[in-house]
Amino acid sequence: MEQWQEVLVFATWLAPTVTALIELLKRSVNMPKNLVPVLSVVLGLTVSALAYPFTTLTLDLRLWAGGLAGLAATGLFELALNSRPGNTKNE
């Protein structure tokens, strides 16, 4: 039970970090909007895997936290239900 509390604390730290990185990508790179939620989850998993110096969690628990942070960064609604045509950066 204590490990899952650490996972949630780590996900709480990761969520704003992933959100900031996704916003940076959205504003600087022209990409289809429907790829943003998938990229957010992948980025959450990547950041959590690379954050081993900052936590004592094992890799599998860090990946769970990264997945949760990625889902929180874009919102589960956008990932599952919202189909948004267009691109992120208007040129």
Side-chain angles (χ1 to χ4, degrees):
M1 184 65 127
E2 185 177 314
Q3 287 181 334
W4 290 108
Q5 289 176 338
E6 289 183 44
V7 167
L8 291 177
V9 168
F10 191 52
T12 303
W13 176 82
L14 282 176
T17 305
V18 172
T19 302
L21 291 172
I22 288 296
E23 282 298 316
L24 179 69
L25 282 174
K26 281 177 19 181
R27 293 174 192 260
S28 61
V29 177
N30 188 18
M31 66 181 139
K33 286 184 179 181
N34 59 350
L35 291 181
V36 173
V38 174
L39 183 63
S40 177
V41 172
V42 170
L43 190 62
L45 292 171
T46 304
V47 170
S48 67
L50 296 175
Y52 63 89
F54 305 111
T55 182
T56 59
L57 294 173
T58 60
L59 179 63
D60 58 335
L61 293 177
R62 286 197 319 264
L63 291 176
W64 270 103
L68 291 172
L71 289 173
T74 58
L76 187 56
F77 174 77
E78 282 189 41
L79 185 64
L81 303 174
N82 196 2
S83 173
R84 302 179 315 165
N87 292 326
T88 56
K89 185 178 176 185
N90 295 326
E91 292 183 7

